[in-house]
Amino acid sequence: MIEKKMLFTPGPVMTSRRLKSVLAHPDMPHRQPAFEQIVRRIRANLLTLFRADAGYVAVVVSGSGTAANETALSSIVRPGEGVLLVKNGEFGNRLEDILACYGYERRTIDLPWGTMPDPAAVAAALAANPRLAWVCMVYHETSTGMINPVRAVGEVVRSHGRKLFIDCVSAVGGQDIDVLRDHIDVCSGVPNKALAGTTGCSFVVARRASVPALGPDLPRRNVYLNLQKHIEWAEKTNQTPNTPAVTMFIALDAALEELMEEGLDARIRRYQECAAILRAGVRALGLRVLLPDAQASNTVTSVFLPAGVMLKDFITELDRRAYVVYAGKGPFYDQNMFQIANMGWIRPADCRAFLKVLTRTLADMQKHG
Ligand SMILES: Cc1ncc(COP(=O)(O)O)c(C=O)c1O
């Protein structure tokens, strides 16, 4: 039996009882109309979630968020085109890893973690190099909790006639994303963060006209994670090229249904309320928060521990008390930073209860030094 823990983590997240009950569904083969109905509904709901119009297509990929990012980035860049990457944290690094693996020419605006990108620098880079056909950036840089200036960068990308890929893995369901307003051509997401779903599948939403056709000028670069193949199968039959993670598709469908019932605006307001409670609570304890609220997402708060409390011991002690938070990554690990996420099936009362446990844990740890 798995012990129940309260996950204040940026994925996997806590899910509702209803979502858990869906996981015990009757056995289901995927090459059947009933499964195709589920995929059709998921794809339609994803377009609604990203406020996309009929010029966009949504596909579901079996695999985690990296699979969605790799599906998109392996497939949208034509031979000879370059990519401008704007990065300011761990998940920008992960995009760079994919771009490097596929051997694209690239320029990088490489900022210290937690530094807000400047759209003027993007404009200058694009003006200087006409081969940079794509700009890539993370919407919500989970490693710091920063919301990058997608709208302003989208405007720059549009005015220079280039295309925009945005990793929305930790943003979708928690932030106001509008692919039309923000000029996003292609983006990715997962169920197991702000959508309050489960791990194991992910998705890509793409403007059809921005996805180049396969052919002699653009051979497939991989087999499993090819965007054009996913689009072809989805549009023809609401199927996937290979056996999908059936249960995870069913859970994604249920998570989207729950979100639609709550309403995206109401979900975002709930997350904002939770984040405000957590931020006020940690500040009241005298803890330093990494980002000013205006730069922070609705769902992740990065906090520094007081002097004398060791990060590893703190995480272990909180876990013993059935609450899970993650240690900061990269340069912030050594600075004793941890992250509190309020994603998934989490309510303001849960956040207040967490603060009580946090307060007691810190007091106990400081007392016993
Ligand atoms: C912004 C962002 N992109 C990509 C990923 C990678 O996703 P996964 O671990 O699901 O492959 C994560 C994971 O936390 C993320 O937060």
Side-chain angles (χ1 to χ4, degrees), residues 141-314:
E141 180 45 77
T142 328
S143 61
T144 57
M146 179 171 274
I147 293 298
N148 282 329
V150 171
R151 196 167 173 176
V153 168
E155 191 48 49
V156 166
V157 170
R158 187 202 58 78
S159 68
H160 285 77
R162 316 298 167 86
K163 298 193 195 85
L164 183 59
F165 168 82
I166 298 289
D167 168 341
C168 292
V169 164
S170 60
V172 61
Q175 301 294 142
D176 167 32
I177 306 172
D178 185 324
V179 291
L180 297 170
R181 178 197 67 202
D182 300 343
H183 305 289
I184 299 173
D185 290 277
V186 180
C187 58
S188 56
V190 295
N192 55 288
K193 295 192 191 288
L195 291 190
T198 54
T199 57
C201 69
S202 54
F203 43 84
V204 177
V205 169
R207 193 196 301 270
R208 269 193 208 78
S210 301
V211 180
L214 291 175
D217 295 341
L218 179 59
R220 265 189 306 140
R221 298 186 176 101
N222 55 22
V223 174
Y224 194 74
L225 299 175
N226 180 259
L227 181 60
Q228 287 86 350
K229 271 183 93 178
H230 275 80
I231 292 176
E232 185 188 327
W233 280 79
E235 293 205 312
K236 241 191 245 161
T237 53
N238 281 298
Q239 285 286 351
T240 52
N242 302 93
T243 310
V246 172
T247 300
M248 298 311 138
F249 279 45
I250 291 169
L252 170 58
D253 183 38
L256 287 168
E257 191 179 32
E258 262 183 2
L259 174 55
M260 294 302 162
E261 278 172 23
E262 182 175 4
L264 178 60
D265 292 344
R267 167 79 55 100
I268 288 175
R269 276 199 303 277
R270 168 160 66 85
Y271 284 154
Q272 286 170 337
E273 188 184 347
C274 287
I277 291 167
L278 291 167
R279 285 167 197 170
V282 293
R283 285 184 176 124
L285 286 172
L287 304 181
R288 184 164 72 85
V289 172
L290 175 68
L291 299 175
D293 289 353
Q295 297 183 351
S297 72
N298 297 326
T299 51
V300 170
T301 303
S302 299
V303 187
F304 295 92
L305 282 170
V309 178
M310 292 316 296
L311 184 56
K312 212 161 151 271
D313 298 342
F314 166 75

Side-chain angles (χ1 to χ4, degrees), residues 64-66 69 91 138 140 142 167 169-170 193:
S64 72
T66 307
N69 284 342
F91 295 101
V138 175
H140 170 202
T142 328
D167 168 341
V169 164
S170 60
K193 295 192 191 288

